[in-house]
Amino acid sequence: MCLTIPAKVLSVEDPHSDVPLKRITIRDSKGERLITALLPDLKAGDWVLYASDMAVTKIGEDDAREILDLLEPKSQIDLSQLDSAFLGILRACHTRELKREEIIRLLGTEDKTETDALFSEANTIRQANLKDFFCIHGIVEFSNQCIRNCFYCGLRRESKDVCRYRMTPDEIVSSVDDAVTRRGYKLIVLQSGDDFSYTDDMLAGIIRRIKERCKVFIFMSVGERGLESYKRMKDAGASGVLFRFETSNKAIYDSIHPGQSYEDRIAHLRGMKEMGYYIATGFLIGLPGQTVADIADDIRTLKTIGANMVTVGPFIPCNGTPMYSHPAGSAAMTLKVTAVARLLMPRAKIPVTTALETIESEEGRRLGLSSGANSLMFNLTPERHRVDYRIYPNKYHGKEEVWEKYGLFKEGLSYKMLEKKMFEAFEAQG
Ligand code: SAH
């Protein structure tokens, strides 16, 4: 479901007539405009959410202010203060691919005016390409068992103090069903550790049962199972994968993923892309030895892989793992990466990741959404398991009320819109 920026109603034409469709004048950050409304009893002073020149929902003033505070960027940038080379790069992204050195220059800045200009440019590009829709998707973490031993992850095989769980296929199907039919979600990620006790048959069966019951896009995030397994899941009805390459620096990748290889990771992604999966991928910020140039290469890798959704988050140290004393990745760098990814991929879905919210809380969410990100991922894992899906500690669970209360297009229309967008994404990439 989606949320859009609220506007205040200034006047309603012919308020007492019986005609259900009314013309109203509204004001938002872009000024005053005339739109239509199909809402009974609307009057001057009310607040509405609107889309495509149609007011769709009336909304309380306090909620409107809460949404505005979250979604509207605060600062106005004085471009005359900006270094001309930096400004040149921001302009160049509209007409050509940015070069590696240019991406490094953008990511390397610590100057306040420059970062504000970068965020503002990314926000403008997001708005021009994706309008004012911010969408929320859900994630169900259905098993925390894992055969891998990634150095950073709290669920690694050797983590001893994890209370392990597995949801049954019935539990998984009914969690998704509830999220779709009762709460209005249209895109759900099913995530787990690399847990082979779920056979290909079981995963395909779960996907098939969900697709029979509800209109929802299913994204699988179940790790390295081989392409045959992903083919089975695709045939059963999965639309996408959430599968990060973690870092594009092979030496770093191999040093923190014992028993795995960078080549295998990338081969999975390439194969999934060829199969027609919608690709959600990305990387971690703050890995040992990672430089700004590595991060620039990570961003370029998103493009070469053909990512449709970008998921980038800071590393967060987790006790009981080999990387416990390694410092957390930087929130500032995560925001710069979000913005640069938006410059390079104007139409991609870029969610604010939970890891950024965890180190920056609500402010991280707000900053992410005004620096190029356009969606959020809410945790739909059943309450009793949430604390145990501990890839890192103190995972953020944010304020979701306002989104679920006013989420637009909870019905079939939203599914159709998403379907169209995914189709366009594939078309655009040929
Ligand atoms: N087994 C699946 C899902 C892995 S968990 C797979 O291999 O794709 C999902 C993501 O959590 C990982 O891709 C990783 O980027 C992230 N993650 C794991 N540990 C983390 C940590 N300590 N800090 C931040 N992100 C972490």
Side-chain angles (χ1 to χ4, degrees):
M1 67 192 111
C2 301
L3 202 58
T4 173
I5 293 182
K8 188 170 186 169
V9 179
L10 295 181
S11 63
V12 179
E13 234 178 64
D14 227 353
H16 303 298
S17 85
D18 289 340
V19 186
L21 196 65
K22 298 249 166 56
R23 282 147 66 89
I24 64 172
T25 306
I26 53 160
R27 183 172 54 221
D28 63 12
S29 59
K30 283 162 273 161
E32 288 182 18
R33 56 194 301 194
L34 193 65
I35 63 168
T36 46
L38 238 184
L39 303 166
D41 307 326
L42 205 59
K43 53 182 187 324
D46 284 345
W47 287 81
V48 289
L49 295 178
Y50 75 97
S52 307
D53 285 345
M54 168 76 93
V56 264
T57 310
K58 197 163 139 178
I59 169 171
E61 177 162 357
D62 289 350
D63 289 333
R65 295 204 184 281
E66 187 180 332
I67 298 173
L68 276 176
D69 188 48
L70 188 65
L71 299 184
E72 284 239 303
K74 297 281 174 290
S75 51
Q76 289 294 321
I77 317 299
D78 178 3
L79 290 180
S80 65
Q81 302 290 310
L82 208 60
D83 171 61
S84 60
F86 196 88
L87 184 60
I89 302 173
L90 293 184
R91 296 262 151 85
C93 76
H94 292 272
T95 53
R96 61 167 174 80
E97 291 287 305
L98 293 187
K99 299 188 194 107
R100 183 171 188 261
E101 288 63 39
E102 293 172 324
I103 298 175
I104 293 174
R105 171 71 177 87
L106 296 180
L107 295 175
T109 184
E110 290 185 358
D111 178 85
K112 170 99 172 64
T113 315
E114 288 183 357
T115 43
D116 283 352
L118 171 62
F119 296 162
S120 164
E121 188 65 30
N123 193 53
T124 306
I125 291 177
R126 175 201 52 75
Q127 199 189 39
N129 286 277
L130 304 165
K131 307 280 182 295
D132 273 328
F133 288 117
F134 293 87
C135 295
I136 55 171
H137 310 306
I139 182 162
V140 176
E141 298 148 338
F142 65 90
S143 158
N144 67 357
Q145 303 269 358
C146 194
I147 62 157
R148 312 282 177 210
N149 231 349
C150 310
F151 278 10
Y152 45 84
C153 184
L155 301 183
R156 67 200 300 269
R157 183 176 75 225
E158 282 173 21
S159 271
K160 291 287 172 277
D161 49 357
V162 181
C163 174
R164 304 277 176 178
Y165 71 89
R166 286 189 176 111
M167 285 168 64
T168 64
D170 283 351
E171 283 175 314
I172 301 170
V173 174
S174 67
S175 301
V176 175
D177 193 13
D178 178 68
V180 177
T181 49
R182 195 174 59 79
R183 299 168 71 181
Y185 286 84
K186 291 284 174 287
L187 192 163
I188 288 184
V189 178
L190 293 181
Q191 189 175 82
S192 68
D194 288 23
D195 182 357
F196 288 83
S197 74
Y198 296 86
T199 61
D200 293 351
D201 268 348
M202 281 166 81
L203 291 180
I206 291 166
I207 296 166
R208 209 168 280 120
R209 283 174 62 196
I210 294 172
K211 294 296 280 190
E212 277 163 15
R213 282 189 193 207
C214 28
K215 269 197 172 274
V216 62
F217 291 100
I218 301 171
F219 277 42
M220 299 305 288
S221 183
V222 291
E224 288 178 43
R225 299 178 63 96
L227 290 175
E228 191 46 44
S229 177
Y230 278 92
K231 175 88 179 59
R232 296 279 309 277
M233 294 189 270
K234 184 90 185 36
D235 291 343
S239 304
V241 287
L242 193 162
F243 188 97
R244 287 178 168 173
F245 53 86
E246 315 293 3
T247 168
S248 61
N249 180 317
K250 179 178 155 46
I252 298 177
Y253 185 95
D254 291 350
S255 71
I256 55 178
H257 295 100
Q260 292 176 268
S261 79
Y262 180 68
E263 287 78 7
D264 285 348
R265 197 79 186 164
I266 294 294
H268 265 80
L269 277 167
R270 291 205 191 290
M272 292 159 169
K273 182 80 189 172
E274 248 164 54
M275 272 177 219
Y277 270 113
Y278 188 96
I279 304 288
T281 189
F283 50 92
L284 285 164
I285 289 172
L287 294 175
Q290 186 184 48
T291 63
V292 175
D294 288 327
I295 298 175
D297 289 337
D298 291 340
I299 296 179
R300 281 149 42 97
T301 303
L302 292 170
K303 290 221 48 155
T304 49
I305 283 172
N308 307 100
M309 187 189 294
V310 173
T311 150
V312 175
F315 155 74
I316 299 173
C318 184
N319 49 321
T321 66
M323 278 170 60
Y324 180 49
S325 47
H326 187 74
S330 136
M333 178 57 89
T334 308
L335 290 169
K336 284 187 276 185
V337 168
T338 304
V340 173
R342 175 59 69 207
L343 302 195
L344 268 67
M345 307 170 72
R347 300 188 60 82
K349 257 187 191 305
I350 310 185
V352 177
T353 49
T354 311
L356 176 64
E357 295 170 335
T358 298
I359 56 174
E360 289 285 286
S361 70
E362 193 70 10
E363 184 64 359
R365 178 178 283 188
R366 199 181 68 69
L367 290 171
L369 291 174
S370 56
S371 311
N374 71 323
S375 55
L376 296 173
M377 191 76 79
F378 285 172
N379 194 323
L380 304 175
T381 308
E383 209 65 52
R384 63 187 181 285
H385 294 312
R386 278 194 196 178
V387 287
D388 296 323
Y389 199 82
R390 203 167 154 276
I391 48 184
Y392 49 78
N394 307 319
K395 243 161 111 194
Y396 179 74
H397 295 299
K399 287 202 268 173
E400 295 162 16
E401 299 79 15
V402 79
W403 292 80
E404 290 203 354
K405 186 165 162 196
Y406 293 113
L408 300 177
F409 312 125
K410 293 190 180 176
E411 312 307 328
L413 183 59
S414 158
Y415 183 86
K416 283 229 150 45
M417 266 175 44
L418 256 179
E419 197 172 37
K420 188 161 159 271
K421 284 203 180 125
M422 288 203 195
F423 185 72
E424 283 167 5
F426 284 122
E427 290 277 286
Q429 290 174 5

